[in-house]
Amino acid sequence: MNFEAALQVANEAFFAHTQRYLSDVEVTLLRGAWQNQTYQEMSENTDYTANYLQRTVGPKLWKQLSEALGESVSKTNFREALKREMSNRTPSATLTVPPSAHSVEFPDKPVALDSQFYIERPPIEVDCYQAIVQPGALIRIKAPQQMGKTSLLYRILTYAATHGYRTVRLNLREAEGAVFSSLDKFLRWFCANVTLQLELPNQLDNYWNEAVIGSMVSCKTYFQSYLLKRIDSPLVLALDEVDQVFQYPDIAKYFFPMLRSWHEEANNRAIWQQMRLIVVHSTEVYIPLNINQSPFNVGLPVDLKEFTPNQVANLAACHQLTLQPEEVEQIISMIGGHPYLLRLAFYHLSRQDVTLSMLLQDAPTDGGIYSDYLRRNLVTLKRHPELAAALKQVVTATKPVRLDTIQAYQLHSMGLIQRQGDLVMPSCELYRHYFHDRLDNEG
């Protein structure tokens, strides 16, 4: 029995038990174990650390494989278990069975933690896992909409939780408009929501004194003297969609420097080493911030890029689709390496709702699979004529163009353009073809 046969048996047993196939890192670990490698040896030719393979991936893999095979499995005995599983099957049972329509996830939300459809982008995941366990850590995740920021965030928070850390995720788009009417009201909302997620009593009135010490010092005191002291482990505070705050410069100019100061406090006070921050946003930071007070130029920067051709092929394989290199090129030419657009395409192809040639032909039309997605963006552009005019300039040009800085940031956050230095161009042909005529008709 060679490794490829063993991997097929493991994958089929794994899918039957978990409704997902082995991930890239799990295959890496399994292959290394098959070759009698230590975790350190496995890590040497990969982007994964030995500690991550041994303490995070390994225990979960051996546990789930044990459940799938119906016997206790470990790094040292899994070969014989797979051999027994293979010998108990009929020849036809070892053939790969495509997933049913029900097992293919529709991409309408962040990728679940146990999903086979999450594609890692090494070394990003490992870099984030290593960073979040550092005292006073700060991670900055930036990418256009629906590029996988929240899916990555969930995995970082889960990794932190496995180390016994407390985790809180705040989506700042959930804050009502009235919350941003003043700095004091916003910071009180901020503190109250963290308290709620930590399941602690709200003690804001005991620590807050806007008139005497101000809102920022009150907020810091509440965290330092109450929240961080009441929990007996590090706190990972993830702030998702912080772009929302960019719209309120009078709040942003105080809130973001406050976060920077908390990060720097870890150099001076042990209590602030317990705080780990993750800041997630879609656009570049176009609000004016003092370079020495901005949290956007410190910590670990994570800029999520589009999938590479190899990652596109891997995602297709997760959907039980085998693409030829020229087909991968055709797909990337039309929709780029955008994770959401790719998953939507592979969802329909795996269900045999449409052929690849028809999908590509209809993609930039109102009859294609992206019609709802494209119309939503068109509605947004119609509400903001200055953005529509800017994108029209981009999609009708034959070469990259220069846009107003703010308009470029906004269109980039929507995922509609990509940068080439100071110039921009459509992210993919899908947007060029779809918006070329429709924006032109808008005049």
Side-chain angles (χ1 to χ4, degrees), residues 59-87:
K60 183 178 178 181
L61 172 61
W62 304 129
K63 179 177 182 294
Q64 291 186 320
L65 204 53
S66 296
E67 294 170 351
L69 297 175
E71 60 176 289
S72 180
V73 168
S74 67
K75 181 174 178 288
T76 57
N77 72 356
F78 77 99
R79 297 178 194 76
E80 294 304 316
L82 290 176
K83 289 178 182 178
R84 284 190 290 273
E85 176 70 13
M86 187 174 188
S87 66

Side-chain angles (χ1 to χ4, degrees), residues 278-293:
I278 308 175
V279 178
V280 184
H281 56 112
S282 297
T283 68
E284 297 286 350
V285 183
Y286 55 81
I287 55 175
L289 290 174
N290 184 305
I291 190 171
N292 296 316
Q293 296 180 331

Side-chain angles (χ1 to χ4, degrees), residues 166 188 190-207 222-223 225-231:
R166 299 295 298 273
R188 287 179 71 98
F190 173 67
C191 290
N193 275 271
V194 175
T195 306
L196 183 65
Q197 291 200 40
L198 289 174
E199 300 180 334
L200 293 173
N202 188 320
Q203 298 289 328
L204 278 173
D205 291 340
N206 295 333
Y207 293 88
Y222 187 73
F223 270 82
S225 301
Y226 178 54
L227 295 182
L228 294 177
K229 284 190 176 180
R230 284 292 300 271
I231 58 178

Side-chain angles (χ1 to χ4, degrees), residues 84-121:
R84 284 190 290 273
E85 176 70 13
M86 187 174 188
S87 66
N88 291 334
R89 298 182 174 201
T90 62
S92 61
T94 62
L95 298 176
T96 301
V97 180
S100 69
H102 297 294
S103 68
V104 180
E105 301 171 3
F106 185 77
D108 60 347
K109 54 186 178 295
V111 185
L113 293 171
D114 60 350
S115 172
Q116 70 189 54
F117 300 107
Y118 181 80
I119 300 298
E120 292 191 341
R121 287 178 259 199

